[in-house]
Amino acid sequence: MLLTLKISFEGPMEKRPGIKDTSEKKAGKHTDTRKKDYLRVEDIYMFKDPHEINKQEHHTDKYYNPKLIVRRGQSFQIQIYFNRPYKPETDRFWLEFLMGRYPQQNKGTYIPILVGNVLKPGQWGAKIIHRENNSIRLSIMSSPTCIIGKFRLYVAVLTPFGILRTRRNSATDTYILFNPWCQMDAVYLDDEKEREEYVLNDIGIVFHGNVEDIKSRSWSYGQFEENVLDACLFLMDKAELELSGRGNPIKICRVASAVINSRDDNGVIAGSWNNSYDYGVAPSAWTGSVDILLEYYSSKQPVRYGQCWVFAGVFNTFLRCLGIPARLVTNYSSAHDNNANLRLDFFLDDEGKVDTRLTKDSVWNYHCWNEAWMTRPDLPVGFGGWQVVDGTPQETSDGMYRCGPASVQAIKHGHVCFQFDSPFVYAEVNSDIFYTKMEKNGTQVVEKIDTTHIGQLIVTKEVGGDRMMDITAEYKFREGSDEERLALETAVMYGVKKQSIQDTTYQPQTDVEMDFQAQKAVLGNDFKVTITFRNKSRNSYTATTYLSGNIVFYTGVTKSEFKKHSFSAKLQPSSSSSFDIVIKSSEYMSDLLEQASFHFFVTARINETGKILAMQKAIVLEIPTLRIKTKGELVAGKETSVIVEFTNPLKQTLENVTLRLEGPGVLRTIKKQFGRIPMNSTLTWEIKCIPMRPGLRKLIASLSCDALRHVYGELNVQIQKP
């Protein structure tokens, strides 16, 4: 029996007469003896202790919080005790998760969950996994896109006298957080050591000082401490982020980068850079985030004072606490580009000194910000992964002091057209400094351009240790390299598009076209990519060309760069020129992800004109398939053999391989484990079966192991009548 529920809330459900539980007193007025028979909830057990199954399996056992804390997109268990044994034939009950004052189903703040027979990954559901006496144990699956925060839980029972709900009970409140362990979550991170570092580690290192004299200090994030989770959720209330947006890590990071600082919204920390810290704590005195967050949570007033590493430390606590993988990053010689024109303008007076009246841009010895890990479905493929978010108030963005999330990958390649605040972050790590002399007649003369000073070193704490990890190459190409100049010119081209095009230096190149094609690429094999230029002009050109190949998740998040190649192309007048680049399997196999997706950036500068050509393309490798064949007659009711074969094409042994075969009407699903398949060797699996139904049928097989997934095979078979 399918039970469809349509319940609208005009106000807080807990306060509405008529929806409040039909309480025992009210029921007692009736003399009908059947009252004793209807199902009532006596108690709900949440398995919420740190040593119990829910917090263990959801990696939430470290939270110093007595309530149930689970991560979305992953099942958890509760036990319901009734007044009598549950009868599935006649009894009807469902669960309700609610958040906010006016819960609504279409906003994800009222979630009714019917009990079914199967849990489907990717959507809310519940099923009974154990029945004993008067109790049932439920496995509940939450959606991997549901909003995060604290839900109220009710159990509703359909009785002849209306809907009987459990009373409001804060002990059954359930926190749902982001889940980096769930492949369907936008914050999924595939490396367990990285998850332990970027989600579960509650202590970090802040690197400061300057590039010639690097200093470090520890910082306590304390994301699991008492009341910190509630304080972090309060920040989203303070930022007035609508509840329906709280499942989206992009939105959460954007509003949090504003509320971490006190400018324009009375946020968490008041910044002070003038060495005067009256009525507050000097930024250097803080040792961690907990005191700051708890003071703000209780007083609702900005905590004084912070500088960049304090904003970044508290922001990191917020992100890790909610389950978004995060790390604190330091950029040495960080540019503060006041007008986001991707260059720092330092104006010189007659004597060659910097004119402080005219010069608005600045260089910081170091600057700390955060990176948060997430997919970016709002951007083209390849720009997910680490995103820069910065809570330090430097410049306004859309009217507020905030910054990010900005894709690190987009910043590296100069694709600063992608939201949010990419031009500002790009300038922080990769600007050129222009030293311009102001002549008496008002003309400007560029005296010097320093291309190497900004962003000399970008670092974070290493995974699983306290040493410094250099991540400069994630943000930029080697200083002075052609690729770095090319990325800068690409950024200027994109940046100028957004501004008024007074600077005609960056008109797009129209007389040269560039194309990028890839040969059909098979997993484990070398393959070729071809860059073709068509010079439609009568001029000879040379093009400095750069190709970057990246391994990406199928969601578009970049995992690693595996190929860098640059060359100079001579372009003859009125002709086409093609250049082949071989991608070797040895370059990509070690980092390959299960869906074998690549993302290529190609950028070229026409040296004679300074014009930029840029392209990007996603490529998916062909994964080897399983071969299925049959032996003997295919007649319904007679035994036959099905043979599955697989040849390992990789230059490594496959271990712990699982094969699965099914064919509706031919055979039931069969699974078999194989210890290892050496390289270039062929596995053969023969299964005997008796097809039951005549007609056209399909056999489907799959192979899975750590090094290789998404390997399939299928075969259409015609089963004859006996």
Side-chain angles (χ1 to χ4, degrees), residues 152-425:
R152 306 185 292 281
L153 170 64
Y154 293 86
V155 180
V157 180
L158 194 60
T159 77
F161 315 99
I163 295 168
L164 180 69
R165 273 190 182 76
T166 49
R167 292 179 178 277
R168 171 84 183 99
N169 179 6
S170 64
T172 62
D173 288 352
T174 301
Y175 294 88
I176 299 184
L177 308 180
F178 288 103
N179 193 352
W181 285 264
C182 170
Q183 291 198 20
M184 297 168 80
D185 197 309
V187 302
Y188 171 64
L189 187 58
D190 73 324
D191 185 305
E192 177 60 25
K193 284 194 168 61
E194 291 187 0
R195 290 189 293 244
E196 285 172 9
E197 180 67 55
Y198 298 136
V199 183
L200 301 179
N201 194 351
D202 53 4
I203 292 182
I205 303 265
V206 176
F207 294 98
H208 55 113
N210 64 45
V211 73
E212 283 86 30
D213 183 17
I214 293 167
K215 297 187 177 343
S216 67
R217 55 171 295 183
S218 293
W219 186 268
S220 167
Y221 298 126
Q223 66 266 36
F224 305 119
E225 297 304 306
E226 190 171 14
N227 295 326
V228 167
L229 176 55
D230 289 321
C232 291
L233 293 173
F234 168 70
L235 296 195
M236 291 194 285
D237 298 337
K238 178 68 186 163
E240 296 177 4
L241 175 58
E242 71 279 5
L243 292 175
S244 60
R246 295 188 187 186
N248 183 340
I250 302 167
K251 285 187 177 176
I252 286 178
C253 285
R254 184 114 181 102
V255 302
S257 76
V259 81
I260 291 292
N261 67 73
S262 65
R263 296 285 291 269
D264 58 39
D265 58 1
N266 254 5
V268 183
I269 306 157
S272 178
W273 283 267
N274 61 8
N275 230 25
S276 168
Y277 309 119
D278 298 340
Y279 311 110
V281 175
S284 56
W286 298 111
T287 55
S289 310
V290 176
D291 290 350
I292 295 170
L293 281 166
L294 295 186
E295 183 182 326
Y296 184 71
Y297 185 39
S298 67
S299 75
K300 315 287 189 272
Q301 293 299 313
V303 177
R304 294 179 289 199
Y305 290 99
Q307 289 177 6
C308 67
W309 72 92
V310 182
F311 293 104
V314 172
F315 205 163
N316 222 51
T317 300
F318 171 84
L319 294 166
R320 288 188 185 180
C321 186
L322 299 187
I324 300 173
R327 60 189 187 184
L328 190 149
V329 169
T330 301
N331 176 36
Y332 287 101
S333 302
S334 187
H336 185 150
D337 179 12
N338 202 271
N339 52 357
N341 61 351
L342 304 182
R343 66 184 226 187
L344 294 185
D345 291 300
F346 283 73
F347 295 103
L348 308 175
D349 59 18
D350 285 347
E351 297 175 356
K353 290 187 190 137
V354 173
D355 186 328
T356 51
R357 281 180 313 113
L358 293 173
T359 303
K360 297 282 184 275
D361 296 340
S362 60
V363 179
W364 296 31
N365 280 352
Y366 70 94
H367 179 46
C368 297
W369 59 68
N370 306 83
E371 288 176 3
W373 179 271
M374 67 193 71
T375 61
R376 289 298 300 268
D378 56 325
L379 303 184
V381 68
F383 294 109
W386 289 116
Q387 312 291 315
V388 172
V389 289
D390 191 348
T392 300
Q394 293 186 86
E395 295 293 327
T396 57
S397 168
D398 298 333
M400 293 184 80
Y401 280 93
R402 58 182 164 193
C403 179
S407 163
V408 173
Q409 184 76 343
I411 291 158
K412 176 168 184 173
H413 290 275
H415 290 255
V416 297
C417 45
F418 297 130
Q419 60 188 16
F420 296 88
D421 308 312
S422 305
F424 183 80
V425 181

Side-chain angles (χ1 to χ4, degrees), residues 514-532:
M514 180 175 74
D515 189 35
F516 175 73
Q517 295 297 330
Q519 182 189 22
K520 198 172 182 183
V522 178
L523 179 76
N525 294 0
D526 300 352
F527 64 96
K528 189 173 68 176
V529 296
T530 304
I531 300 168
T532 303

